[in-house]
Amino acid sequence: MARISLTSRPLDLVYFCFFLTHIPASLVLDFQMLYPASYIPSFLPKLQNLYIEFSGDPLIAGAARGDLNGELVWLWCFAWLEMLFQFPTFFLGIRGLWNNSRSIYVLILAYGASTATTTLPCIFFVLRESAAGNITAAQLLILLSSYIPFFVIPLIMAIDMGFRIHNIIAAGEAKQKHE
Protein backbone atom coordinates (compact mmCIF):
# COMPACT_ATOMS: atom_id res chain seq x y z
CA MET A 1 0.00 0.00 0.00
CA ALA A 2 1.48 3.35 -1.07
CA ARG A 3 1.95 6.01 1.58
CA ILE A 4 -0.44 8.92 1.17
CA SER A 5 1.41 12.23 1.41
CA LEU A 6 0.75 14.34 4.48
CA THR A 7 0.18 17.35 2.23
CA SER A 8 -2.74 15.55 0.59
CA ARG A 9 -4.38 15.18 4.01
CA PRO A 10 -4.97 18.80 5.12
CA LEU A 11 -6.34 18.09 8.61
CA ASP A 12 -3.56 15.62 9.34
CA LEU A 13 -1.04 18.23 8.19
CA VAL A 14 -2.55 20.77 10.61
CA TYR A 15 -2.41 18.22 13.45
CA PHE A 16 1.18 17.29 12.53
CA CYS A 17 2.29 20.95 12.58
CA PHE A 18 0.35 21.55 15.80
CA PHE A 19 2.17 18.70 17.55
CA LEU A 20 5.53 19.74 16.12
CA THR A 21 5.24 23.38 17.24
CA HIS A 22 3.83 22.43 20.64
CA ILE A 23 7.01 20.56 21.65
CA PRO A 24 9.26 23.62 22.16
CA ALA A 25 6.41 25.63 23.75
CA SER A 26 5.88 22.88 26.31
CA LEU A 27 9.56 22.49 27.10
CA VAL A 28 10.32 26.21 27.38
CA LEU A 29 7.15 27.67 28.89
CA ASP A 30 4.58 25.15 30.12
CA PHE A 31 6.90 22.78 31.99
CA GLN A 32 8.99 25.47 33.66
CA MET A 33 6.72 25.30 36.71
CA LEU A 34 7.55 21.59 37.08
CA TYR A 35 11.32 21.73 36.71
CA PRO A 36 13.48 21.76 39.84
CA ALA A 37 14.86 25.31 40.15
CA SER A 38 18.45 24.07 40.00
CA TYR A 39 17.82 22.55 36.54
CA ILE A 40 16.35 25.66 34.95
CA PRO A 41 18.86 27.43 32.68
CA SER A 42 19.02 31.16 33.43
CA PHE A 43 17.60 32.12 30.03
CA LEU A 44 14.28 30.31 30.64
CA PRO A 45 13.00 32.58 33.46
CA LYS A 46 14.12 35.59 31.40
CA LEU A 47 12.15 34.31 28.42
CA GLN A 48 9.18 33.61 30.67
CA ASN A 49 9.34 37.14 32.12
CA LEU A 50 9.40 38.66 28.63
CA TYR A 51 6.31 36.63 27.77
CA ILE A 52 4.54 37.72 30.99
CA GLU A 53 5.40 41.39 30.41
CA PHE A 54 4.15 41.21 26.82
CA SER A 55 0.98 39.19 27.39
CA GLY A 56 0.10 39.75 31.04
CA ASP A 57 -0.72 36.03 31.18
CA PRO A 58 -2.14 35.57 34.70
CA LEU A 59 -1.63 31.80 34.59
CA ILE A 60 2.06 31.82 33.72
CA ALA A 61 2.60 34.81 36.03
CA GLY A 62 0.89 32.95 38.86
CA ALA A 63 3.00 29.87 38.23
CA ALA A 64 6.17 32.03 38.14
CA ARG A 65 5.18 33.51 41.53
CA GLY A 66 4.67 30.02 42.93
CA ASP A 67 0.90 30.31 43.41
CA LEU A 68 0.45 26.66 42.44
CA ASN A 69 -0.53 25.50 45.93
CA GLY A 70 -3.43 27.92 46.20
CA GLU A 71 -5.90 29.08 43.60
CA LEU A 72 -3.83 27.68 40.71
CA VAL A 73 -3.32 24.14 42.01
CA TRP A 74 -5.42 22.94 39.06
CA LEU A 75 -2.89 24.51 36.65
CA TRP A 76 -0.10 22.52 38.29
CA CYS A 77 -2.16 19.33 37.82
CA PHE A 78 -2.77 20.23 34.17
CA ALA A 79 0.97 20.82 33.65
CA TRP A 80 1.72 17.33 34.98
CA LEU A 81 -0.96 15.89 32.70
CA GLU A 82 0.64 17.71 29.79
CA MET A 83 4.10 16.42 30.65
CA LEU A 84 3.14 12.81 31.33
CA PHE A 85 0.42 12.24 28.71
CA GLN A 86 0.14 15.03 26.19
CA PHE A 87 3.86 15.59 25.55
CA PRO A 88 4.59 11.94 24.64
CA THR A 89 1.49 12.03 22.43
CA PHE A 90 3.12 14.79 20.34
CA PHE A 91 5.86 12.38 19.25
CA LEU A 92 3.55 9.40 18.75
CA GLY A 93 1.07 11.62 16.89
CA ILE A 94 3.79 13.03 14.64
CA ARG A 95 4.99 9.53 13.75
CA GLY A 96 1.49 8.12 13.29
CA LEU A 97 0.32 11.02 11.15
CA TRP A 98 3.49 10.94 9.06
CA ASN A 99 2.91 7.24 8.38
CA ASN A 100 -0.85 7.70 7.91
CA SER A 101 -1.45 5.06 10.58
CA ARG A 102 -5.04 4.48 11.64
CA SER A 103 -3.79 3.02 14.90
CA ILE A 104 -3.01 6.56 16.13
CA TYR A 105 -6.64 7.71 15.91
CA VAL A 106 -7.67 6.59 19.41
CA LEU A 107 -4.66 8.27 21.04
CA ILE A 108 -5.25 11.52 19.13
CA LEU A 109 -8.93 11.41 20.12
CA ALA A 110 -7.92 11.03 23.79
CA TYR A 111 -5.32 13.79 23.44
CA GLY A 112 -7.80 16.15 21.78
CA ALA A 113 -10.46 15.58 24.43
CA SER A 114 -7.95 15.95 27.26
CA THR A 115 -6.36 19.10 25.88
CA ALA A 116 -9.63 20.83 25.00
CA THR A 117 -10.93 20.00 28.48
CA THR A 118 -7.86 21.39 30.24
CA THR A 119 -7.56 24.49 28.04
CA LEU A 120 -11.14 25.67 28.53
CA PRO A 121 -10.64 26.51 32.26
CA CYS A 122 -7.52 28.48 31.25
CA ILE A 123 -9.58 30.55 28.80
CA PHE A 124 -12.23 31.22 31.44
CA PHE A 125 -9.58 32.17 33.99
CA VAL A 126 -8.12 34.69 31.54
CA LEU A 127 -11.61 36.08 30.83
CA ARG A 128 -12.24 36.41 34.58
CA GLU A 129 -8.95 38.26 35.05
CA SER A 130 -9.87 40.57 32.19
CA ALA A 131 -13.31 41.27 33.67
CA ALA A 132 -11.61 42.09 36.99
CA GLY A 133 -9.38 44.61 35.20
CA ASN A 134 -6.19 42.67 35.83
CA ILE A 135 -5.19 42.57 32.16
CA THR A 136 -5.66 45.10 29.38
CA ALA A 137 -7.88 44.65 26.34
CA ALA A 138 -4.78 44.31 24.16
CA GLN A 139 -3.36 41.63 26.46
CA LEU A 140 -6.72 39.83 26.42
CA LEU A 141 -6.59 39.68 22.62
CA ILE A 142 -3.02 38.35 22.74
CA LEU A 143 -3.97 35.72 25.31
CA LEU A 144 -7.14 34.62 23.56
CA SER A 145 -5.28 34.37 20.25
CA SER A 146 -2.84 32.11 22.07
CA TYR A 147 -5.23 29.98 24.14
CA ILE A 148 -8.18 29.58 21.75
CA PRO A 149 -6.22 27.63 19.08
CA PHE A 150 -5.05 25.26 21.85
CA PHE A 151 -8.72 24.67 22.61
CA VAL A 152 -10.20 24.62 19.10
CA ILE A 153 -7.60 22.49 17.30
CA PRO A 154 -7.63 19.69 19.91
CA LEU A 155 -11.44 19.82 20.00
CA ILE A 156 -11.51 19.41 16.21
CA MET A 157 -8.98 16.56 16.57
CA ALA A 158 -11.22 14.75 19.04
CA ILE A 159 -14.33 15.15 16.89
CA ASP A 160 -12.50 14.26 13.67
CA MET A 161 -10.86 11.17 15.19
CA GLY A 162 -14.21 10.10 16.68
CA PHE A 163 -15.77 10.21 13.20
CA ARG A 164 -12.79 8.39 11.66
CA ILE A 165 -13.02 5.61 14.25
CA HIS A 166 -16.79 5.41 13.75
CA ASN A 167 -16.35 5.10 9.98
CA ILE A 168 -13.72 2.37 10.36
CA ILE A 169 -16.02 0.41 12.69
CA ALA A 170 -19.02 0.94 10.40
CA ALA A 171 -17.02 -0.22 7.36
CA GLY A 172 -15.91 -3.32 9.26
CA GLU A 173 -19.47 -4.11 10.28
CA ALA A 174 -20.70 -3.63 6.70
CA LYS A 175 -17.95 -5.93 5.43
CA GLN A 176 -18.93 -8.61 7.95
CA LYS A 177 -22.56 -8.45 6.80
CA HIS A 178 -21.53 -9.04 3.19
CA GLU A 179 -19.32 -12.03 4.01
Side-chain angles (χ1 to χ4, degrees), residues 78-137:
F78 289 173
W80 276 108
L81 176 65
E82 182 178 354
M83 181 182 272
L84 298 175
F85 169 65
Q86 296 172 2
F87 190 72
T89 300
F90 301 155
F91 296 96
L92 296 171
I94 286 168
R95 189 184 80 212
L97 291 166
W98 180 263
N99 293 322
N100 195 26
S101 172
R102 291 177 168 186
S103 66
I104 200 67
Y105 292 176
V106 172
L107 182 61
I108 293 176
L109 184 149
Y111 165 83
S114 170
T115 302
T117 301
T118 58
T119 304
L120 191 58
C122 297
I123 292 170
F124 277 89
F125 188 87
V126 165
L127 291 171
R128 185 191 80 175
E129 292 299 296
S130 174
N134 296 331
I135 55 176
T136 68

Short mmCIF file of all heavy atoms in Angstrom, two decimals, residues 78-137:
data_model
loop_
_atom_site.label_atom_id
_atom_site.label_comp_id
_atom_site.label_asym_id
_atom_site.label_seq_id
_atom_site.Cartn_x
_atom_site.Cartn_y
_atom_site.Cartn_z
N PHE A 78 -2.70 20.25 35.63
CA PHE A 78 -2.77 20.23 34.17
C PHE A 78 -1.37 20.17 33.55
O PHE A 78 -1.16 19.53 32.52
CB PHE A 78 -3.51 21.45 33.63
CG PHE A 78 -5.01 21.46 33.89
CD1 PHE A 78 -5.74 22.59 33.59
CD2 PHE A 78 -5.67 20.38 34.44
CE1 PHE A 78 -7.12 22.63 33.81
CE2 PHE A 78 -7.04 20.41 34.67
CZ PHE A 78 -7.76 21.54 34.35
N ALA A 79 -0.41 20.85 34.17
CA ALA A 79 0.97 20.82 33.65
C ALA A 79 1.55 19.41 33.76
O ALA A 79 2.23 18.95 32.84
CB ALA A 79 1.84 21.83 34.41
N TRP A 80 1.26 18.72 34.86
CA TRP A 80 1.72 17.33 34.98
C TRP A 80 1.04 16.44 33.95
O TRP A 80 1.68 15.56 33.37
CB TRP A 80 1.48 16.81 36.40
CG TRP A 80 2.57 17.19 37.32
CD1 TRP A 80 2.52 18.12 38.33
CD2 TRP A 80 3.91 16.70 37.33
NE1 TRP A 80 3.74 18.22 38.95
CE2 TRP A 80 4.61 17.36 38.36
CE3 TRP A 80 4.59 15.76 36.56
CZ2 TRP A 80 5.96 17.10 38.63
CZ3 TRP A 80 5.93 15.50 36.84
CH2 TRP A 80 6.59 16.17 37.86
N LEU A 81 -0.24 16.65 33.72
CA LEU A 81 -0.96 15.89 32.70
C LEU A 81 -0.34 16.14 31.33
O LEU A 81 -0.14 15.20 30.55
CB LEU A 81 -2.45 16.27 32.68
CG LEU A 81 -3.29 15.61 31.61
CD1 LEU A 81 -3.37 14.10 31.81
CD2 LEU A 81 -4.68 16.22 31.59
N GLU A 82 0.00 17.39 31.05
CA GLU A 82 0.64 17.71 29.79
C GLU A 82 1.98 17.01 29.66
O GLU A 82 2.30 16.44 28.61
CB GLU A 82 0.81 19.23 29.64
CG GLU A 82 1.43 19.62 28.31
CD GLU A 82 1.56 21.12 28.12
OE1 GLU A 82 1.09 21.90 28.97
OE2 GLU A 82 2.17 21.51 27.11
N MET A 83 2.77 17.03 30.72
CA MET A 83 4.10 16.42 30.65
C MET A 83 4.03 14.90 30.52
O MET A 83 4.76 14.31 29.72
CB MET A 83 4.93 16.79 31.88
CG MET A 83 6.34 16.20 31.83
SD MET A 83 7.32 16.59 33.30
CE MET A 83 8.02 18.15 32.82
N LEU A 84 3.16 14.27 31.28
CA LEU A 84 3.14 12.81 31.33
C LEU A 84 2.31 12.15 30.24
O LEU A 84 2.60 11.01 29.84
CB LEU A 84 2.66 12.34 32.71
CG LEU A 84 3.54 12.77 33.88
CD1 LEU A 84 2.89 12.36 35.21
CD2 LEU A 84 4.94 12.20 33.75
N PHE A 85 1.28 12.83 29.74
CA PHE A 85 0.42 12.24 28.71
C PHE A 85 0.50 12.99 27.39
O PHE A 85 0.78 12.40 26.34
CB PHE A 85 -1.04 12.15 29.19
CG PHE A 85 -2.00 11.80 28.09
CD1 PHE A 85 -1.93 10.56 27.46
CD2 PHE A 85 -2.96 12.71 27.67
CE1 PHE A 85 -2.81 10.24 26.43
CE2 PHE A 85 -3.84 12.39 26.64
CZ PHE A 85 -3.76 11.16 26.03
N GLN A 86 0.24 14.28 27.43
CA GLN A 86 0.14 15.03 26.19
C GLN A 86 1.47 15.14 25.46
O GLN A 86 1.54 14.96 24.24
CB GLN A 86 -0.46 16.41 26.45
CG GLN A 86 -1.89 16.34 26.96
CD GLN A 86 -2.43 17.68 27.41
OE1 GLN A 86 -1.77 18.71 27.32
NE2 GLN A 86 -3.66 17.67 27.93
N PHE A 87 2.55 15.42 26.18
CA PHE A 87 3.86 15.59 25.55
C PHE A 87 4.30 14.33 24.79
O PHE A 87 4.71 14.41 23.64
CB PHE A 87 4.89 16.02 26.58
CG PHE A 87 6.21 16.46 26.01
CD1 PHE A 87 6.32 17.67 25.33
CD2 PHE A 87 7.33 15.67 26.13
CE1 PHE A 87 7.54 18.08 24.80
CE2 PHE A 87 8.54 16.06 25.60
CZ PHE A 87 8.65 17.28 24.93
N PRO A 88 4.24 13.14 25.41
CA PRO A 88 4.59 11.94 24.64
C PRO A 88 3.68 11.73 23.43
O PRO A 88 4.12 11.21 22.40
CB PRO A 88 4.44 10.79 25.65
CG PRO A 88 4.57 11.44 26.99
CD PRO A 88 4.00 12.82 26.83
N THR A 89 2.43 12.16 23.55
CA THR A 89 1.49 12.03 22.43
C THR A 89 1.94 12.86 21.23
O THR A 89 1.69 12.47 20.09
CB THR A 89 0.07 12.43 22.87
OG1 THR A 89 -0.34 11.56 23.93
CG2 THR A 89 -0.93 12.32 21.73
N PHE A 90 2.61 13.99 21.46
CA PHE A 90 3.12 14.79 20.34
C PHE A 90 4.00 13.92 19.44
O PHE A 90 3.85 13.94 18.21
CB PHE A 90 3.94 15.99 20.81
CG PHE A 90 3.22 16.97 21.70
CD1 PHE A 90 3.94 17.76 22.57
CD2 PHE A 90 1.85 17.11 21.68
CE1 PHE A 90 3.32 18.68 23.39
CE2 PHE A 90 1.20 18.01 22.52
CZ PHE A 90 1.94 18.80 23.37
N PHE A 91 4.91 13.19 20.02
CA PHE A 91 5.86 12.38 19.25
C PHE A 91 5.17 11.20 18.58
O PHE A 91 5.42 10.91 17.41
CB PHE A 91 7.00 11.90 20.16
CG PHE A 91 7.82 13.03 20.68
CD1 PHE A 91 7.58 13.57 21.94
CD2 PHE A 91 8.83 13.60 19.91
CE1 PHE A 91 8.32 14.63 22.42
CE2 PHE A 91 9.58 14.67 20.39
CZ PHE A 91 9.33 15.18 21.64
N LEU A 92 4.29 10.52 19.33
CA LEU A 92 3.55 9.40 18.75
C LEU A 92 2.61 9.89 17.65
O LEU A 92 2.46 9.23 16.61
CB LEU A 92 2.78 8.66 19.84
CG LEU A 92 3.63 7.99 20.91
CD1 LEU A 92 2.77 7.49 22.05
CD2 LEU A 92 4.46 6.87 20.30
N GLY A 93 1.97 11.04 17.90
CA GLY A 93 1.07 11.62 16.89
C GLY A 93 1.81 12.02 15.63
O GLY A 93 1.35 11.75 14.52
N ILE A 94 2.97 12.63 15.79
CA ILE A 94 3.79 13.03 14.64
C ILE A 94 4.14 11.80 13.80
O ILE A 94 3.97 11.79 12.58
CB ILE A 94 5.06 13.78 15.10
CG1 ILE A 94 4.70 15.19 15.57
CG2 ILE A 94 6.11 13.82 14.00
CD1 ILE A 94 5.83 15.90 16.31
N ARG A 95 4.62 10.75 14.47
CA ARG A 95 4.99 9.53 13.75
C ARG A 95 3.78 8.87 13.08
O ARG A 95 3.82 8.48 11.92
CB ARG A 95 5.68 8.55 14.68
CG ARG A 95 6.29 7.36 13.91
CD ARG A 95 6.88 6.33 14.81
NE ARG A 95 5.77 5.51 15.30
CZ ARG A 95 5.73 4.94 16.48
NH1 ARG A 95 6.70 5.08 17.33
NH2 ARG A 95 4.70 4.23 16.85
N GLY A 96 2.70 8.76 13.83
CA GLY A 96 1.49 8.12 13.29
C GLY A 96 0.89 8.88 12.13
O GLY A 96 0.47 8.29 11.14
N LEU A 97 0.86 10.20 12.25
CA LEU A 97 0.32 11.02 11.15
C LEU A 97 1.23 10.97 9.94
O LEU A 97 0.75 10.89 8.80
CB LEU A 97 0.11 12.47 11.62
CG LEU A 97 -1.01 12.66 12.65
CD1 LEU A 97 -0.91 14.04 13.29
CD2 LEU A 97 -2.38 12.45 12.02
N TRP A 98 2.53 11.02 10.17
CA TRP A 98 3.49 10.94 9.06
C TRP A 98 3.30 9.65 8.27
O TRP A 98 3.33 9.64 7.05
CB TRP A 98 4.92 11.04 9.60
CG TRP A 98 5.95 10.97 8.52
CD1 TRP A 98 6.66 9.87 8.12
CD2 TRP A 98 6.37 12.04 7.67
NE1 TRP A 98 7.49 10.19 7.10
CE2 TRP A 98 7.34 11.53 6.80
CE3 TRP A 98 6.02 13.39 7.58
CZ2 TRP A 98 7.98 12.30 5.84
CZ3 TRP A 98 6.66 14.16 6.63
CH2 TRP A 98 7.61 13.62 5.76
N ASN A 99 3.07 8.55 9.01
CA ASN A 99 2.91 7.24 8.38
C ASN A 99 1.47 6.94 7.97
O ASN A 99 1.20 5.84 7.48
CB ASN A 99 3.43 6.14 9.32
CG ASN A 99 4.92 6.24 9.52
OD1 ASN A 99 5.67 6.54 8.60
ND2 ASN A 99 5.36 5.99 10.74
N ASN A 100 0.58 7.88 8.22
CA ASN A 100 -0.85 7.70 7.91
C ASN A 100 -1.39 6.43 8.57
O ASN A 100 -2.11 5.65 7.96
CB ASN A 100 -1.08 7.66 6.39
CG ASN A 100 -2.54 7.86 6.04
OD1 ASN A 100 -3.30 8.47 6.78
ND2 ASN A 100 -2.95 7.32 4.90
N SER A 101 -1.05 6.24 9.83
CA SER A 101 -1.45 5.06 10.58
C SER A 101 -2.80 5.27 11.27
O SER A 101 -2.96 6.21 12.05
CB SER A 101 -0.38 4.74 11.62
OG SER A 101 -0.82 3.71 12.48
N ARG A 102 -3.73 4.40 10.98
CA ARG A 102 -5.04 4.48 11.64
C ARG A 102 -4.95 4.15 13.12
O ARG A 102 -5.82 4.53 13.89
CB ARG A 102 -6.02 3.52 10.97
CG ARG A 102 -6.41 3.93 9.58
CD ARG A 102 -7.32 2.89 8.98
NE ARG A 102 -7.94 3.38 7.77
CZ ARG A 102 -8.86 2.74 7.10
NH1 ARG A 102 -9.28 1.56 7.54
NH2 ARG A 102 -9.37 3.26 6.01
N SER A 103 -3.92 3.43 13.50
CA SER A 103 -3.79 3.02 14.90
C SER A 103 -3.58 4.21 15.84
O SER A 103 -3.75 4.08 17.05
CB SER A 103 -2.66 2.01 15.07
OG SER A 103 -1.41 2.61 14.78
N ILE A 104 -3.25 5.37 15.30
CA ILE A 104 -3.01 6.56 16.13
C ILE A 104 -4.32 7.30 16.45
O ILE A 104 -4.35 8.15 17.34
CB ILE A 104 -1.97 7.50 15.45
CG1 ILE A 104 -1.34 8.44 16.47
CG2 ILE A 104 -2.59 8.28 14.30
CD1 ILE A 104 -0.49 7.77 17.48
N TYR A 105 -5.39 6.96 15.77
CA TYR A 105 -6.64 7.71 15.91
C TYR A 105 -7.16 7.75 17.35
O TYR A 105 -7.60 8.80 17.82
CB TYR A 105 -7.73 7.14 15.00
CG TYR A 105 -7.51 7.33 13.52
CD1 TYR A 105 -8.40 6.78 12.61
CD2 TYR A 105 -6.43 8.05 13.00
CE1 TYR A 105 -8.22 6.94 11.24
CE2 TYR A 105 -6.24 8.21 11.64
CZ TYR A 105 -7.14 7.64 10.77
OH TYR A 105 -6.97 7.80 9.41
N VAL A 106 -7.13 6.63 18.04
CA VAL A 106 -7.67 6.59 19.41
C VAL A 106 -6.84 7.48 20.33
O VAL A 106 -7.40 8.23 21.14
CB VAL A 106 -7.73 5.14 19.94
CG1 VAL A 106 -8.09 5.12 21.42
CG2 VAL A 106 -8.72 4.32 19.13
N LEU A 107 -5.51 7.44 20.20
CA LEU A 107 -4.66 8.27 21.04
C LEU A 107 -4.88 9.76 20.74
O LEU A 107 -4.96 10.57 21.67
CB LEU A 107 -3.18 7.91 20.83
CG LEU A 107 -2.19 8.69 21.70
CD1 LEU A 107 -2.45 8.46 23.19
CD2 LEU A 107 -0.77 8.30 21.33
N ILE A 108 -5.01 10.11 19.47
CA ILE A 108 -5.25 11.52 19.13
C ILE A 108 -6.62 11.97 19.62
O ILE A 108 -6.78 13.09 20.09
CB ILE A 108 -5.06 11.77 17.62
CG1 ILE A 108 -3.58 11.57 17.24
CG2 ILE A 108 -5.53 13.17 17.23
CD1 ILE A 108 -3.30 11.70 15.75
N LEU A 109 -7.61 11.08 19.57
CA LEU A 109 -8.93 11.41 20.12
C LEU A 109 -8.81 11.70 21.62
O LEU A 109 -9.33 12.71 22.11
CB LEU A 109 -9.91 10.26 19.88
CG LEU A 109 -11.35 10.51 20.33
CD1 LEU A 109 -12.32 9.75 19.45
CD2 LEU A 109 -11.58 10.16 21.77
N ALA A 110 -8.10 10.83 22.34
CA ALA A 110 -7.92 11.03 23.79
C ALA A 110 -7.15 12.32 24.07
O ALA A 110 -7.51 13.09 24.97
CB ALA A 110 -7.21 9.84 24.41
N TYR A 111 -6.10 12.56 23.29
CA TYR A 111 -5.32 13.79 23.44
C TYR A 111 -6.21 15.01 23.21
O TYR A 111 -6.19 15.97 24.00
CB TYR A 111 -4.13 13.82 22.46
CG TYR A 111 -3.56 15.21 22.36
CD1 TYR A 111 -2.64 15.67 23.30
CD2 TYR A 111 -3.98 16.10 21.37
CE1 TYR A 111 -2.15 16.97 23.25
CE2 TYR A 111 -3.49 17.40 21.31
CZ TYR A 111 -2.58 17.82 22.25
OH TYR A 111 -2.12 19.10 22.20
N GLY A 112 -6.96 14.99 22.12
CA GLY A 112 -7.80 16.15 21.78
C GLY A 112 -8.82 16.44 22.87
O GLY A 112 -9.01 17.59 23.26
N ALA A 113 -9.47 15.40 23.37
CA ALA A 113 -10.46 15.58 24.43
C ALA A 113 -9.81 16.10 25.70
O ALA A 113 -10.32 17.02 26.35
CB ALA A 113 -11.20 14.27 24.68
N SER A 114 -8.66 15.53 26.06
CA SER A 114 -7.95 15.95 27.26
C SER A 114 -7.50 17.40 27.15
O SER A 114 -7.69 18.20 28.09
CB SER A 114 -6.73 15.04 27.47
OG SER A 114 -5.89 15.55 28.47
N THR A 115 -6.91 17.76 26.03
CA THR A 115 -6.36 19.10 25.88
C THR A 115 -7.46 20.15 25.79
O THR A 115 -7.35 21.22 26.41
CB THR A 115 -5.45 19.16 24.64
OG1 THR A 115 -4.41 18.19 24.83
CG2 THR A 115 -4.82 20.52 24.47
N ALA A 116 -8.53 19.87 25.05
CA ALA A 116 -9.63 20.83 25.00
C ALA A 116 -10.23 21.03 26.39
O ALA A 116 -10.53 22.16 26.79
CB ALA A 116 -10.70 20.35 24.01
N THR A 117 -10.36 19.94 27.13
CA THR A 117 -10.93 20.00 28.48
C THR A 117 -10.05 20.80 29.44
O THR A 117 -10.56 21.55 30.28
CB THR A 117 -11.16 18.58 29.02
OG1 THR A 117 -12.04 17.89 28.13
CG2 THR A 117 -11.74 18.60 30.41
N THR A 118 -8.74 20.67 29.32
CA THR A 118 -7.86 21.39 30.24
C THR A 118 -7.58 22.82 29.79
O THR A 118 -7.19 23.66 30.61
CB THR A 118 -6.52 20.65 30.44
OG1 THR A 118 -5.87 20.48 29.17
CG2 THR A 118 -6.73 19.31 31.11
N THR A 119 -7.79 23.13 28.53
CA THR A 119 -7.56 24.49 28.04
C THR A 119 -8.76 25.40 28.32
O THR A 119 -8.59 26.60 28.57
CB THR A 119 -7.21 24.49 26.54
OG1 THR A 119 -6.09 23.63 26.33
CG2 THR A 119 -6.87 25.88 26.04
N LEU A 120 -9.95 24.84 28.30
CA LEU A 120 -11.14 25.67 28.53
C LEU A 120 -11.11 26.40 29.88
O LEU A 120 -11.39 27.61 29.92
CB LEU A 120 -12.41 24.82 28.39
CG LEU A 120 -13.72 25.59 28.34
CD1 LEU A 120 -13.74 26.58 27.18
CD2 LEU A 120 -14.89 24.62 28.24
N PRO A 121 -10.74 25.76 30.99
CA PRO A 121 -10.64 26.51 32.26
C PRO A 121 -9.59 27.63 32.19
O PRO A 121 -9.77 28.68 32.82
CB PRO A 121 -10.24 25.46 33.29
CG PRO A 121 -10.62 24.16 32.71
CD PRO A 121 -10.52 24.32 31.22
N CYS A 122 -8.54 27.43 31.41
CA CYS A 122 -7.52 28.48 31.25
C CYS A 122 -8.13 29.69 30.55
O CYS A 122 -7.88 30.84 30.96
CB CYS A 122 -6.32 27.95 30.45
SG CYS A 122 -5.44 26.59 31.27
N ILE A 123 -8.92 29.44 29.53
CA ILE A 123 -9.58 30.55 28.80
C ILE A 123 -10.52 31.29 29.75
O ILE A 123 -10.52 32.53 29.79
CB ILE A 123 -10.34 30.01 27.57
CG1 ILE A 123 -9.33 29.49 26.53
CG2 ILE A 123 -11.25 31.09 26.97
CD1 ILE A 123 -9.96 28.71 25.38
N PHE A 124 -11.30 30.56 30.52
CA PHE A 124 -12.23 31.22 31.44
C PHE A 124 -11.50 31.98 32.55
O PHE A 124 -11.96 33.04 32.98
CB PHE A 124 -13.25 30.22 32.01
CG PHE A 124 -14.40 29.98 31.09
CD1 PHE A 124 -14.35 28.99 30.13
CD2 PHE A 124 -15.53 30.78 31.15
CE1 PHE A 124 -15.40 28.79 29.25
CE2 PHE A 124 -16.60 30.60 30.28
CZ PHE A 124 -16.53 29.58 29.33
N PHE A 125 -10.37 31.46 32.99
CA PHE A 125 -9.58 32.17 33.99
C PHE A 125 -9.08 33.49 33.43
O PHE A 125 -9.16 34.53 34.09
CB PHE A 125 -8.39 31.30 34.45
CG PHE A 125 -7.64 31.86 35.61
CD1 PHE A 125 -8.04 31.60 36.91
CD2 PHE A 125 -6.53 32.67 35.41
CE1 PHE A 125 -7.34 32.12 37.99
CE2 PHE A 125 -5.82 33.20 36.49
CZ PHE A 125 -6.24 32.93 37.78
N VAL A 126 -8.59 33.47 32.20
CA VAL A 126 -8.12 34.69 31.54
C VAL A 126 -9.27 35.69 31.37
O VAL A 126 -9.11 36.88 31.63
CB VAL A 126 -7.46 34.35 30.18
CG1 VAL A 126 -7.27 35.59 29.31
CG2 VAL A 126 -6.13 33.64 30.40
N LEU A 127 -10.44 35.20 30.97
CA LEU A 127 -11.61 36.08 30.83
C LEU A 127 -12.00 36.69 32.18
O LEU A 127 -12.36 37.88 32.25
CB LEU A 127 -12.78 35.32 30.22
CG LEU A 127 -12.63 34.92 28.76
CD1 LEU A 127 -13.75 33.99 28.33
CD2 LEU A 127 -12.57 36.16 27.86
N ARG A 128 -11.93 35.90 33.24
CA ARG A 128 -12.24 36.41 34.58
C ARG A 128 -11.26 37.50 34.99
O ARG A 128 -11.65 38.53 35.54
CB ARG A 128 -12.23 35.27 35.59
CG ARG A 128 -12.66 35.73 36.99
CD ARG A 128 -12.41 34.70 38.03
NE ARG A 128 -10.99 34.76 38.39
CZ ARG A 128 -10.44 34.05 39.35
NH1 ARG A 128 -11.17 33.17 40.01
NH2 ARG A 128 -9.17 34.17 39.64
N GLU A 129 -9.98 37.27 34.72
CA GLU A 129 -8.95 38.26 35.05
C GLU A 129 -9.15 39.54 34.24
O GLU A 129 -8.92 40.64 34.75
CB GLU A 129 -7.56 37.68 34.84
CG GLU A 129 -7.19 36.58 35.80
CD GLU A 129 -7.20 37.05 37.25
OE1 GLU A 129 -6.37 37.92 37.60
OE2 GLU A 129 -8.03 36.54 38.03
N SER A 130 -9.59 39.40 33.02
CA SER A 130 -9.87 40.57 32.19
C SER A 130 -11.06 41.35 32.75
O SER A 130 -11.01 42.58 32.86
CB SER A 130 -10.15 40.14 30.76
OG SER A 130 -10.55 41.24 29.98
N ALA A 131 -12.11 40.63 33.11
CA ALA A 131 -13.31 41.27 33.67
C ALA A 131 -12.99 41.99 34.98
O ALA A 131 -13.59 43.02 35.29
CB ALA A 131 -14.41 40.24 33.88
N ALA A 132 -12.02 41.47 35.72
CA ALA A 132 -11.61 42.09 36.99
C ALA A 132 -10.65 43.26 36.76
O ALA A 132 -10.25 43.92 37.72
CB ALA A 132 -10.95 41.04 37.88
N GLY A 133 -10.28 43.50 35.51
CA GLY A 133 -9.38 44.61 35.20
C GLY A 133 -7.91 44.31 35.44
O GLY A 133 -7.10 45.23 35.49
N ASN A 134 -7.57 43.04 35.55
CA ASN A 134 -6.19 42.67 35.83
C ASN A 134 -5.30 42.56 34.58
O ASN A 134 -4.09 42.45 34.70
CB ASN A 134 -6.14 41.35 36.60
CG ASN A 134 -6.80 41.49 37.97
OD1 ASN A 134 -6.80 42.56 38.57
ND2 ASN A 134 -7.37 40.42 38.45
N ILE A 135 -5.94 42.54 33.42
CA ILE A 135 -5.19 42.57 32.16
C ILE A 135 -5.88 43.54 31.22
O ILE A 135 -7.09 43.78 31.32
CB ILE A 135 -5.06 41.17 31.51
CG1 ILE A 135 -6.43 40.52 31.29
CG2 ILE A 135 -4.17 40.26 32.31
CD1 ILE A 135 -6.37 39.18 30.58
N THR A 136 -5.11 44.11 30.31
CA THR A 136 -5.66 45.10 29.38
C THR A 136 -6.41 44.40 28.25
O THR A 136 -6.27 43.20 28.03
CB THR A 136 -4.54 45.96 28.78
OG1 THR A 136 -3.74 45.12 27.93
CG2 THR A 136 -3.68 46.60 29.86
N ALA A 137 -7.16 45.19 27.49
CA ALA A 137 -7.88 44.65 26.34
C ALA A 137 -6.91 44.10 25.30
O ALA A 137 -7.15 43.04 24.70
CB ALA A 137 -8.77 45.73 25.72
#
